[in-house]
Amino acid sequence: MSIGLVIRLLVLALLVAFLVSPESFAFVFEPLTKNNQPVIYNQGSLLDLTLNHLLIVAIATALATTVAVGLAILVTRPFGAEFLPLSRSLANVGQTFPPVAVLALAVPMLGFGTAPTLVALFLYGLLPIFENTLTGLTGLPPTVTEAARGMGMTGRQRLVRVELPLALPVILAGIRLSTVISLATATIGSTVAARTLGEVIIAGLLSSNTAFVLQGGLIVGTLAVLIYDGLSAIERALTRRTGQGARANA
């Protein structure tokens, strides 16, 4: 077992221990409080907020992946090539509009809560997945696709059995980037009453309690690093398995 893996497992264990029993870590954050402020976030369960935060990110990323991969497949087929500029423009929408602006536009239609946050994260996560899928599907060695065609495979068979499996490491790199972006961006969902770790940070800012701000930031940051490393490991394993070089845009 490598030292890096041991460190990651230790960090994960510490994170879980903190979420399950945050009071046990009060001595770490106590120096950051003043005027008898509460040391540990006490307006809700950190564990529940973390799980809800992850659930929102997972749903948004799954939706973004479905749409972005579908669009990339469409525009790399002969019948859909003419839609490439339009698809790229749609994927760029989320990056063009700041998530806060998307929330402001979505709230009047969807109300407060999780829904506007999902819309913002979905739009913000489209571009990296779309571009990486496009790169993965268009960057395959011509000899591979020609060999598949020579074996009598239909277009659908080539896509499912050859193109997507070989492009998977690059696609996963886009999903990894999108997920990490969404983890951080989801915190702003608390401004429209979504239950995310942004609640902890906002509560700390409103009460000038640095301990709260640090707790929310550390949880989000740690989750981002662990998920990034985990997806990177899967991506490397797939790259070795398929024999493809790293072509990820991340």
Side-chain angles (χ1 to χ4, degrees), residues 2-225:
S2 66
I3 296 178
L5 180 57
V6 172
I7 293 174
R8 291 179 180 89
L9 290 175
L10 179 60
V11 171
L12 176 59
L14 285 173
L15 176 61
V16 172
F18 175 66
L19 293 175
V20 172
S21 181
E23 295 80 10
S24 302
F25 294 81
F27 68 95
V28 176
F29 300 98
E30 190 169 5
L32 300 175
T33 61
K34 55 186 178 180
N35 301 326
N36 295 319
Q37 290 176 321
V39 178
I40 300 297
Y41 181 71
N42 59 355
Q43 299 174 29
S45 167
L46 287 175
L47 179 59
D48 288 346
L49 286 175
T50 300
L51 293 176
N52 205 65
H53 189 108
L54 289 173
L55 179 61
I56 291 172
V57 171
I59 293 173
T61 302
L63 292 174
T65 299
T66 301
V67 173
V69 172
L71 282 176
I73 290 173
L74 172 67
V75 300
T76 53
R77 305 304 99 180
F79 61 83
E82 61 184 290
F83 296 106
L84 176 58
L86 175 61
S87 298
R88 184 162 271 151
S89 297
L90 290 174
N92 273 299
V93 167
Q95 301 291 327
T96 303
F97 286 92
V100 174
V102 176
L103 288 175
L105 293 172
V107 165
M109 295 182 291
L110 302 174
F112 288 90
T114 300
T117 306
L118 285 174
V119 172
L121 296 183
F122 164 75
L123 292 176
Y124 213 55
L126 280 175
L127 184 61
I129 303 175
F130 175 78
E131 290 294 345
N132 273 49
T133 305
L134 201 60
T135 298
L137 292 176
T138 58
L140 296 176
T143 53
V144 174
T145 53
E146 287 300 326
R149 188 176 288 107
M151 292 172 63
M153 288 187 180
T154 64
R156 182 174 182 177
Q157 290 173 328
R158 290 196 301 273
L159 173 66
V160 174
R161 298 182 184 179
V162 178
E163 296 178 44
L164 284 177
L166 290 177
L168 192 55
V170 187
I171 297 172
L172 186 59
I175 296 173
R176 165 170 52 87
L177 180 59
S178 178
T179 302
V180 172
I181 291 173
S182 293
L183 271 170
T185 308
T187 55
I188 68 171
S190 293
T191 61
V192 292
R195 298 200 70 242
T196 73
L197 289 165
E199 284 188 20
V200 186
I201 298 173
I202 293 172
L205 293 174
L206 292 176
S207 61
S208 298
N209 190 331
T210 307
F212 284 5
V213 176
L214 185 59
Q215 286 161 37
L218 279 177
I219 296 172
V220 173
T222 303
L223 287 172
V225 171

Side-chain angles (χ1 to χ4, degrees), residues 8 169 172 229 231-241:
R8 291 179 180 89
L172 186 59
D229 284 350
L231 292 177
S232 294
I234 297 174
E235 180 190 336
R236 288 192 296 269
L238 289 172
T239 299
R240 289 194 297 269
R241 180 177 178 181

